[in-house]
């Protein structure tokens, strides 16, 4: 923070130097013009007639959603159970695959730089592609059903769990590793005695966290045919049965909130 | 118990302490887990003929990655990408801007109870529903196109950012706030001088992270008609044009990698 | 039993940590390695069990040449040289017993160690060692629940369970208070005598080195500048090792402090010194 003096010899205090100030203004200008440009592109692709109608459409939607058709709820238990299974089994499968990948991707446990890059590619590809896209692909390959959903969730989870876990592995204390190495332990024994105990709490926390996210993700997989409550949602929307849609929404809302609560409790217990 | 274990150890009998002390509870949990797995796995029904038929498609898809086709649907891909990117940028800017007041309102230590409950409500609704579900509603209200997508992503961004921001504010260093207040500063001045400097670096980091998430999500909300690259991808997959799908997926992975790389730079630069 | 010939270590950064070290250690000798920080003490003992790969020279443990061993052979050789660390290097989340038993990792297979099914004789010996270092009651405690001195005792028990012929000890007292430091040094000294072990002890504290070692080697800038009996260590030699300082004065002060400590636990001390 420079302090300079003016002609009268009084100190002037400014937060930044003027050069940095100019750069700051320029950055803001560039950012705002970029934003406006993007906004223009969107507005060009929008039918504003529909948008003017949005308020009426919205209130119309709500009036058709209410009151919810409660009798529909009993047909949702089975799909909800499927959704939970997709999330849980998918998470289990995902963390089972993510576990070795993370060890291969962490700088301090990877056997070879080439293996490490390969593991990182797996993690990045899995992270970049949404589970819904995986589900679309898998449905064309495996056919519609719960299995496609489980595998889609698992494939997406590899990247998430793998990334957080390998970061945790890279942050372990190196001295216990050195000590176990000095006893003449094999590579696998060093992993199981020096590395594993140090990353186990992080691993459990990450897995439960991902399970909670997966519950939310698996509610929509049915839209592309991969099982779960999304199938019902899709059917209800296609038949414009909005009073059924509202029941489904409520159901999803409660389930996701419950899973978030469970996951937060478990994570607090671990840490 | 300890003395008993000592005596056993003296005679060479030693087993690891079980994770759960109570043997009955331990077995109950094991049986529960096995029972759940059996029940959950039994819901998976696989049509093996369908899988066998799909396998060749799966192989085609994998083969497509070796020769992705960027050319034949170039126009659709470029348009979709441009839409995705503009949606990402505008929604992040708008979402973060709106998340700041919501986040302030949802911090228990600086806002009155009614405001707190309202803001927490907004956050919960926004976080509970998967982006695709929100997109369905906004598409009904605003018509097909990127505007609905942008509003969806902005809404999701509010929930994500506001929650983390509120948590940050709730555990910020209260002494600094009091020090500024003691000078007789107004509420806005307190925010500007005591709260903002403490939460700003993390806010920028989180915005970059959210930008990344929004891009990935923009690739799927197109499935329900909310614009972006998702629509192009969806079409290519349902037409079995796997070489085009592969090209799109590679582009998505590339952009996510690029943004991850640059966001780590931005974060280093701002901290 | 341990012979180093022309051992050199140059780190990839270009720093020469060890330069042409010749050293030989007979059976049962306790040798203290002193020198300023960065003199290469840590590097030297890590070169012996190859936690750090030496860049040149040869190291013989009895008849085995260590520097050329394949990784499988190296594991076998490491069983004979146990290491004790400065920050104890215990695995915090494992229990005391698990930490001690990890000393047997070089002898048991992966699944046995993973399932913690150690042979009976190993468990008996592990418990005996725990009792010997005074921690038999703590076998199910987690390592991070112990105090610094207790942790170092667990570290010692783990090292001894390896059934080594050589102890490599890296700054065993650096994180401990003066009284605990003495107790730990005395314990190491006693155990070496009981089992006829040779030991290389890196140590900062010259007075501890003088009191507990049979032989002192001074290292400076990666080279040996002194090698002799503790009695031969005088102000002039300390100056060549550490650089100019008013040694006489400090020694006097330290000795005063020593005698103050020595008065209270006198019987134990007699045991330690009575070899």
């Amino acid at each position: 923070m420079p302090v300079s003096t003016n002609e009268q010899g009084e100190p002037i205090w400014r937060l930044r130097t003027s050069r940095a100030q100019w750069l700051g203004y320029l950055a803001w200008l560039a950012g705002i013009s970029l934003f406006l440009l993007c906004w223009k592109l969107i507005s060009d692709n929008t039918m504003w007639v529909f948008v003017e109608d949005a308020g009426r459409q919205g209130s119309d939607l709500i009036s058709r959603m209410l009151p919810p058709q409660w009798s529909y709820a009993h047909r949702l238990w089975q799909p909800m159970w499927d959704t939970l299974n997709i999330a849980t089994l998918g998470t289990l499968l995902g963390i089972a695959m993510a576990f070795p990948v993370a060890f291969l991707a962490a700088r301090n446990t990877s056997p070879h730089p080439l293996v490490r890059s390969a593991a990182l590619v797996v993690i990045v590809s899995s992270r970049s592609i949404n589970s819904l896209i995986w589900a679309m692909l898998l449905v064309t390959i495996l056919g519609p059903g719960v299995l496609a959903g489980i595998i889609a969730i698992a494939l997406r989870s590899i990247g998430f769990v793998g990334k957080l876990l390998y970061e945790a592995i890279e942050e372990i204390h190196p001295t216990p590793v050195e000590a176990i190495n000095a006893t003449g332990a094999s590579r696998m024994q060093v992993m199981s005695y020096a590395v594993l105990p140090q990353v186990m709490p992080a691993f459990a926390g990450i897995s439960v966290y991902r399970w909670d996210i997966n519950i939310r993700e698996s509610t929509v997989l049915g839209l592309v045919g991969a099982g779960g409550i999304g199938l019902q949602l899709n059917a209800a929307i296609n038949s414009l049965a909005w009073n059924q849609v509202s029941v489904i929404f409520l159901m999803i809302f409660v389930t996701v909130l419950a899973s978030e609560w469970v996951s937060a409790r478990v994570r607090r217990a671990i840490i | 118990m300890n003395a008993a274990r000592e005596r056993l150890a003296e005679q060479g009998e030693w087993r690891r302490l079980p994770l759960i002390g109570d043997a009955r509870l331990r077995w109950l949990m094991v049986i529960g887990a096995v029972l759940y797995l059996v029940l959950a796995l039994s819901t998976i029904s696989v049509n093996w003929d369908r899988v066998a038929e799909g396998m060749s498609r799966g192989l085609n898809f994998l083969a497509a990655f070796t020769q992705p086709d960027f050319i034949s649907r170039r126009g659709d891909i470029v348009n979709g990408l441009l839409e995705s990117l503009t949606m990402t940028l505008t929604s992040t800017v708008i979402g973060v801007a709106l998340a700041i007041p919501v986040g302030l309102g949802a911090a228990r230590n600086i806002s009155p109870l009614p405001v707190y409950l309202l803001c927490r409500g907004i956050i919960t609704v926004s976080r509970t529903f998967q982006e695709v579900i929100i997109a369905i509603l906004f598409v009904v209200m605003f018509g097909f196109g990127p505007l609905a997508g942008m509003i969806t992503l902005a809404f999701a961004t509010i929930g994500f950012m506001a929650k983390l921001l509120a948590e940050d504010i709730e555990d910020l260093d209260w002494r600094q706030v009091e020090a500024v207040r003691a000078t007789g500063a107004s509420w806005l001045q307190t925010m500007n001088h005591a709260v903002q400097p403490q939460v700003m670096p993390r806010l920028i980091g989180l915005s970059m992270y959210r930008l990344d998430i929004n891009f990935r999500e923009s690739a799927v909300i197109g499935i329900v008609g909310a614009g972006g690259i998702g629509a192009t991808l969806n079409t290519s997959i349902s037409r079995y044009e796997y070489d085009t799908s592969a090209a799109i997926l590679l582009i998505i992975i590339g952009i996510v990698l690029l943004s991850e790389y640059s966001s780590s730079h931005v974060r280093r630069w701002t901290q | 039993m341990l012979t180093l010939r022309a051992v050199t270590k140059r780190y990839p950064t270009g720093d020469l940590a060890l330069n042409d070290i010749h050293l030989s250690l007979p059976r049962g000798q306790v040798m203290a390695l002193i020198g300023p920080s960065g003199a290469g003490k840590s590097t030297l003992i890590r070169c012996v069990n190859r936690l750090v790969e030496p860049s040149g020279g040869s190291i013989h443990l009895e008849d085995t040449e260590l520097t050329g061993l394949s990784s499988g052979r190296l594991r076998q050789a490491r069983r004979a040289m146990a290491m004790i660390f400065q920050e104890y290097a215990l695995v915090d989340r494992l229990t005391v017993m698990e930490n001690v038993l990890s000393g047997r990792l070089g002898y048991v297979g992966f699944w046995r160690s993973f399932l913690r099914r150690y042979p009976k004789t190993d468990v008996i010996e592990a418990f005996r060692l725990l009792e010997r270092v005074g921690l038999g009651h703590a076998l199910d405690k987690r390592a991070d629940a112990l105090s610094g001195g207790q942790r170092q005792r667990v570290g010692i028990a783990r090292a001894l369970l390896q059934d080594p012929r050589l102890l490599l000890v890296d700054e065993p007292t650096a994180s401990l208070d003066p009284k605990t430091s003495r107790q730990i040094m005395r314990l190491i000294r006693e155990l070496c005598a009981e089992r006829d072990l040779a030991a290389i002890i890196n140590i900062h504290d010259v007075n501890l080195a003088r009191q507990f070692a049979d032989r002192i080697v001074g290292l400076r800038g990666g080279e040996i500048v002194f090698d002799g009996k503790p009695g031969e260590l005088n102000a002039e030699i300390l100056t060549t090792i550490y650089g100019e300082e008013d040694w006489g004065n400090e020694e006097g002060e330290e000795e005063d402090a020593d005698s103050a400590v020595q008065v209270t636990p006198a019987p134990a001390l007699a045991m330690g010194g009575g070899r």
Side-chain angles (χ1 to χ4, degrees):
Chain A
M1 290 182 196
V3 180
S4 56
T5 46
N6 64 8
E7 301 89 68
Q8 282 85 42
E10 289 164 344
I12 304 171
W13 178 82
R14 283 207 219 90
L15 190 58
R16 289 189 186 81
T17 60
S18 57
R19 202 176 107 84
Q21 227 165 9
W22 277 112
L23 277 176
Y25 287 145
L26 262 176
W28 274 105
L29 189 69
I32 290 170
S33 0
L34 187 65
F35 175 73
L36 288 176
L37 186 76
C38 289
W39 173 250
K40 176 155 189 327
L41 269 171
I42 288 180
S43 116
D44 285 350
N45 283 320
T46 305
M47 305 262 238
W48 286 101
V49 208
F50 285 135
V51 178
E52 280 157 23
D53 209 23
R56 212 174 53 74
Q57 287 284 351
S59 54
D60 186 38
L61 201 61
I62 291 173
S63 71
R64 279 199 263 166
M65 277 183 169
L66 296 172
Q69 188 190 333
W70 296 113
S71 59
Y72 183 60
H74 75 271
R75 278 162 62 194
L76 293 176
W77 299 120
Q78 176 64 33
M80 208 64 222
W81 168 244
D82 280 346
T83 303
L84 288 177
N85 288 341
I86 291 174
T88 311
L89 295 178
T91 311
L92 287 178
L93 191 62
I95 59 180
M97 291 190 282
F99 193 73
V101 172
F103 274 84
L104 297 179
R107 201 172 281 120
N108 46 353
T109 54
S110 182
H112 193 271
L114 272 180
V115 178
R116 174 162 197 261
S117 336
L120 286 177
V121 166
V122 169
I123 288 176
V124 168
S125 334
S126 153
R127 266 165 55 73
S128 315
I129 299 173
N130 200 293
S131 47
L132 206 57
I133 298 178
W134 285 121
M136 277 197 304
L137 287 170
L138 287 162
V139 166
T140 64
I141 294 169
L142 299 173
V146 176
L147 184 65
I150 292 172
I151 298 179
I153 290 288
L155 287 177
R156 173 66 182 85
S157 304
I158 294 177
F160 183 91
V161 177
K163 177 166 193 259
L164 293 178
L165 184 59
Y166 96 71
E167 284 171 355
I169 296 175
E170 286 184 351
E171 280 168 18
I172 60 170
H173 291 294
T175 43
V177 179
E178 215 179 18
I180 299 294
N181 257 320
T183 64
S186 69
R187 222 189 147 71
M188 290 298 283
Q189 285 174 326
V190 174
M191 298 284 167
S192 85
Y193 269 74
V195 182
L196 203 58
Q198 292 195 58
V199 298
M200 222 43 208
F203 178 61
I206 295 165
S207 304
V208 176
Y209 182 37
R210 186 64 218 183
W211 172 76
D212 160 30
I213 297 176
N214 280 344
I215 295 262
R216 189 184 349 238
E217 301 264 305
S218 58
T219 55
V220 294
L221 293 180
L223 293 177
V224 295
I229 198 150
L231 284 172
Q232 260 61 29
L233 181 63
N234 203 18
I237 289 173
N238 284 341
S239 58
L240 299 177
W242 291 102
N243 52 355
Q244 293 180 356
V245 172
S246 53
V247 179
I248 297 174
F249 276 7
L250 269 176
M251 203 111 169
I252 292 177
F253 190 74
V254 172
T255 312
V256 172
L257 275 189
S259 75
E260 207 173 280
W261 182 79
V262 170
S263 139
R265 280 294 295 269
V266 171
R267 269 181 291 156
R268 211 172 313 141
I270 293 169
I271 297 165
Chain B
M1 181 193 146
N2 203 356
R5 277 179 67 85
E6 273 172 49
R7 225 170 309 116
L8 281 174
E10 209 171 352
Q11 290 150 22
E13 292 294 334
W14 173 84
R15 290 282 171 269
R16 178 171 23 185
L17 271 185
L19 202 61
I20 301 160
D22 186 355
R24 283 232 304 279
L25 185 67
R26 191 159 70 232
W27 281 107
L28 212 67
M29 287 184 80
V30 170
I31 292 170
V34 171
L35 204 68
Y36 170 77
L37 273 183
V38 170
L39 278 178
L41 288 171
S42 68
T43 60
I44 304 174
S45 57
V46 186
N47 181 351
W48 289 107
D49 296 338
R50 177 67 182 73
V51 174
E53 185 195 318
M55 263 313 154
S56 62
R57 279 199 217 116
L59 291 178
N60 280 348
F61 179 73
L62 282 182
F65 270 100
T66 59
Q67 39 194 356
D69 178 7
F70 294 92
I71 307 299
S72 53
R73 301 237 165 242
R74 191 179 43 208
D76 290 344
I77 295 179
V78 170
N79 278 338
L81 260 183
L82 223 54
E83 244 177 46
S84 267
L85 288 173
T86 51
M87 264 160 49
T88 307
L89 190 89
T90 47
S91 65
T92 311
V93 171
I94 294 173
V96 171
L98 291 176
I100 291 173
V102 178
L104 291 176
R108 190 66 199 95
N109 50 354
I110 55 170
S111 66
L113 190 66
V115 179
Y116 169 77
L117 289 177
L118 176 74
C119 293
R120 282 285 163 180
I122 296 175
I123 292 175
T124 310
V125 171
S126 146
R127 284 172 52 81
T128 307
F129 291 106
Q130 227 274 344
E131 281 85 344
V132 176
I133 294 182
I134 299 171
I136 294 173
L137 293 180
F138 282 132
V139 166
V140 173
M141 283 172 68
F142 294 95
F144 290 100
L147 184 74
M150 189 201 82
I151 296 174
T152 305
L153 293 180
F155 184 65
T157 307
I158 294 176
F160 177 86
M161 295 291 296
K163 172 157 192 272
L164 295 171
L165 186 63
E167 277 167 9
D168 262 17
I169 296 173
E170 275 171 1
D171 43 57
L172 55 71
D173 184 358
W174 204 240
R175 283 166 307 175
Q176 293 186 34
V177 180
E178 277 172 350
V180 173
R181 254 195 206 152
T183 65
S186 71
W187 190 83
L188 261 179
Q189 284 171 324
T190 315
M191 289 298 121
N192 183 271
H193 282 90
V195 177
Q196 190 208 357
Q198 290 192 59
V199 297
M200 205 55 190
R202 213 165 104 84
L203 189 68
I204 292 174
L206 285 173
S207 307
M208 295 301 295
Y209 181 45
R210 187 65 214 187
L211 194 72
D212 188 38
I213 298 179
N214 277 348
F215 176 73
R216 279 182 266 160
E217 291 298 330
S218 79
V220 289
I221 54 178
I223 297 170
V224 293
I229 189 85
T232 323
L233 183 64
N234 195 13
T235 318
S236 73
I237 291 178
S238 52
R239 284 186 191 153
Y240 303 124
E241 287 173 352
Y242 288 142
D243 38 6
T244 305
S245 330
I248 296 174
L249 290 181
L250 286 176
I251 292 175
I252 293 176
I253 294 175
I255 292 180
V256 170
L257 257 184
L258 200 72
S259 84
E260 213 156 272
Y261 185 71
S262 54
S263 77
S264 72
H265 270 271
V266 170
R267 250 174 270 173
R268 215 169 305 149
W269 183 54
T270 52
Q271 270 165 18
Chain C
M1 64 174 296
L2 181 76
T3 320
L4 283 74
R5 284 197 201 92
V7 172
T8 310
K9 171 66 189 177
R10 187 182 285 281
Y11 282 107
T13 49
D15 297 332
L16 189 64
L18 292 177
N19 187 16
D20 195 32
I21 299 286
H22 291 264
L23 197 64
S24 97
L25 192 68
R27 204 174 173 80
Q29 187 180 63
V30 175
M31 184 192 100
L33 198 58
I34 60 172
S37 306
K41 303 192 298 284
S42 259
T43 308
L44 179 67
I45 66 166
R46 281 176 165 73
C47 275
V48 173
N49 64 0
R50 280 177 57 193
L51 286 176
V52 169
E53 289 291 336
S55 351
S58 71
I59 302 172
H60 284 268
L61 180 69
E62 282 158 0
D63 299 326
T64 331
E65 207 287 316
L66 297 173
T67 53
L69 291 181
S70 67
S71 62
R73 286 304 193 76
L74 176 64
R75 284 185 52 199
Q76 273 184 13
R78 275 179 177 164
R79 305 194 303 212
M81 353 177 230
M83 190 155 171
I84 296 169
F85 291 81
Q86 173 179 357
E87 299 284 352
Y88 332 122
L90 301 183
V91 184
D92 280 346
R93 302 190 65 90
L94 296 183
T95 62
V96 167
M97 193 62 172
E98 284 173 299
N99 266 297
V100 174
L101 280 169
S102 68
R104 294 306 286 182
L105 286 176
Y107 296 88
V108 301
F110 173 74
W111 287 110
R112 260 200 126 131
S113 67
F114 185 76
L115 298 171
R116 312 293 197 264
R117 297 285 159 110
Y118 286 88
K120 220 170 181 167
T121 47
D122 288 1
V123 176
I124 293 173
E125 176 65 7
F127 189 72
R128 213 182 58 73
L129 278 167
L130 265 183
E131 297 255 83
R132 173 68 186 83
V133 300
L135 285 171
H137 58 92
L139 81 167
D140 282 330
K141 273 198 184 153
R142 251 171 58 162
D144 51 6
L146 301 181
S147 71
Q150 289 176 320
R151 285 159 165 242
Q152 193 56 288
R153 287 162 194 274
V154 176
I156 292 169
R158 169 176 68 189
L160 291 177
L161 193 62
Q162 273 181 244
D163 193 17
R165 279 162 287 164
L166 171 68
L167 278 184
L168 302 168
V169 191
D170 189 18
E171 301 281 4
T173 61
S175 324
L176 302 174
D177 64 64
K179 185 175 170 209
T180 320
S181 296
R182 274 163 194 285
Q183 292 170 342
I184 290 291
M185 283 302 289
R186 190 171 305 125
L187 181 65
I188 293 176
R189 181 73 237 209
E190 283 168 18
L191 289 164
C192 283
E194 276 170 25
R195 302 173 162 239
D196 197 21
L197 297 178
I200 303 181
I201 305 180
N202 275 355
I203 191 154
H204 259 303
D205 189 325
V206 177
N207 289 306
L208 281 180
R210 253 194 210 135
Q211 189 178 348
F212 292 104
D214 304 327
R215 171 186 175 192
I216 291 184
V217 169
L219 211 58
R220 180 178 191 176
E223 290 177 28
I224 293 178
V225 291
F226 171 77
D227 186 347
K229 291 251 175 286
E232 296 167 26
L233 203 62
N234 55 29
E236 196 185 328
I237 291 169
L238 282 174
T239 302
T240 48
I241 300 174
Y242 288 99
E244 200 66 58
E245 177 57 51
D246 189 358
W247 297 106
N249 194 9
E250 197 201 300
E251 262 176 68
E253 276 174 24
E254 287 279 321
E255 263 160 28
D256 285 349
D258 285 357
S259 52
V261 178
Q262 279 168 14
V263 175
T264 15
L269 185 73
M271 232 173 82
R275 194 178 103 84

